[in-house]
Amino acid sequence: EVLRALQTTRVIPVDLNVILLRMERNIAKLCAEEGRPEDAARYLTMAEERARAIQDLMFHAKTSSWRDLILHEQELLLEGEEEEGSARMKIALRFSQRESAWSAASDYLPLWAGLCAEWEEEEVQQVVDSLFYSGLVTKGGLMATTNLDAPEACQWDGPNSFPPLSSLLIDGLRSLPLSAAQSLAKLLASRFLANAYAGWRETGAMFEKYDAIAPGKIGGGGEYQAQVGFGWTNGAALSLMQAYPALLSGAHPGLPRGTW
């Protein structure tokens, strides 16, 4: 029943727009390298416009984070006349930011897109502090959301922790020239690795998601059992081990010494 109640077509998500922004920048770079300056300029313009829209429409000053937009209604307006008497239709949208008492890891994904790069240090510090005190940072790493009291939690709710979200946010934090951001990135990396290692010690496998509150416990919820493997988990773990080799020498009590 909870899946029937979802209103995904009414959500303009932060994380999807951040991914599209990064994609547009990458396409612009590839076009430039291939000697296609007009296409490069077009995609760069698209990326710049999207970045401004994310900042102007999604940044939530009250929480120093970003919030999804929720569509309320759509109105079809007739505008002008075209050939054969057909009218051009324009869609007018009304939306507002998601207002809720809970936080989501995706609320901070613009850090991965470098959208704080030109901010004042104090403003960036507020975002880092907001993430640290959001309730998303737990002993098992980064929790997907803090809405633990939801009657029917789905798999992208807390207490689940997803390696891709952890990896992207850690990369975003590492890109910031603030000691607090660097410390938080390392903390999240060490807790994710310790969580995944504890799960591996218990089961002999890596999983798609973990429990952020009970390290070593496999994530749950959703319409299927947690999958073993797992591509993004192994990728995130390898990336973080390269970024923080000291964590593999026993610097973190939850990680083994010299067994990787």
Side-chain angles (χ1 to χ4, degrees):
E1 288 302 319
V2 69
L3 294 179
R4 295 178 183 275
L6 294 177
Q7 296 183 320
T8 54
T9 57
R10 289 184 174 272
V11 180
I12 303 175
V14 172
D15 52 1
L16 175 59
N17 276 279
V18 168
I19 291 170
L20 291 173
L21 169 59
R22 294 273 304 214
M23 180 194 72
E24 288 160 350
R25 287 174 176 170
N26 289 340
I27 293 176
K29 182 179 179 181
L30 291 172
C31 287
E33 292 176 352
E34 290 296 315
R36 296 163 55 183
E38 292 183 359
D39 288 332
R42 179 162 61 93
Y43 278 99
L44 188 58
T45 298
M46 292 168 62
E48 291 171 347
E49 291 176 348
R50 190 181 301 276
R52 284 195 296 271
I54 292 172
Q55 294 294 80
D56 293 345
L57 302 177
M58 293 179 162
F59 187 71
H60 192 254
K62 183 178 178 181
T63 59
S64 293
S65 65
W66 293 260
R67 291 290 179 94
D68 296 339
L69 301 180
I70 309 300
L71 292 172
H72 295 298
E73 64 182 38
Q74 299 183 10
E75 299 175 353
L76 294 180
L77 305 177
L78 297 182
E79 185 179 80
E81 294 292 330
E82 294 186 348
E83 294 181 2
E84 301 180 359
S86 62
R88 189 190 330 164
M89 289 189 298
K90 180 180 180 181
I91 299 178
L93 303 177
R94 285 200 318 112
F95 56 82
S96 63
Q97 288 180 317
R98 188 195 84 234
E99 291 288 352
S100 61
W102 53 271
S103 298
S106 59
D107 293 345
Y108 298 89
L109 207 58
L111 293 175
W112 177 57
L115 295 189
C116 294
E118 298 181 1
W119 289 15
E120 297 293 332
E121 181 176 321
E122 182 180 354
E123 295 174 313
V124 180
Q125 183 68 58
Q126 289 173 350
V127 174
V128 175
D129 289 344
S130 171
L131 174 56
F132 183 77
Y133 292 109
S134 64
L136 295 166
V137 180
T138 67
K139 59 183 178 181
L142 181 72
M143 194 157 57
T145 65
T146 58
N147 60 334
L148 299 177
D149 297 328
E152 295 186 67
C154 294
Q155 67 164 343
W156 285 95
D157 291 323
N160 286 339
S161 175
F162 282 86
L165 276 174
S166 298
S167 180
L168 297 183
L169 269 181
I170 290 168
D171 284 349
L173 289 166
R174 292 183 67 212
S175 71
L176 299 174
L178 288 179
S179 60
Q182 300 299 317
S183 296
L184 181 53
K186 186 175 182 179
L187 176 69
L188 289 173
S190 65
R191 290 183 177 181
F192 164 73
L193 289 172
N195 196 345
Y197 177 71
W200 178 80
R201 284 289 299 269
E202 181 69 24
T203 65
M206 303 287 275
F207 286 82
E208 63 166 328
K209 56 182 179 280
Y210 294 92
D211 192 308
I213 295 178
K217 181 180 177 181
I218 311 307
E223 62 275 15
Y224 61 87
Q225 291 184 339
Q227 298 298 295
V228 71
F230 192 85
W232 64 31
T233 307
N234 287 291
L238 289 171
S239 175
L240 294 175
M241 286 190 289
Q242 288 181 328
Y244 298 102
L247 293 178
L248 309 183
S249 62
H252 187 283
L255 298 174
R257 180 185 296 275
T259 59
W260 295 85

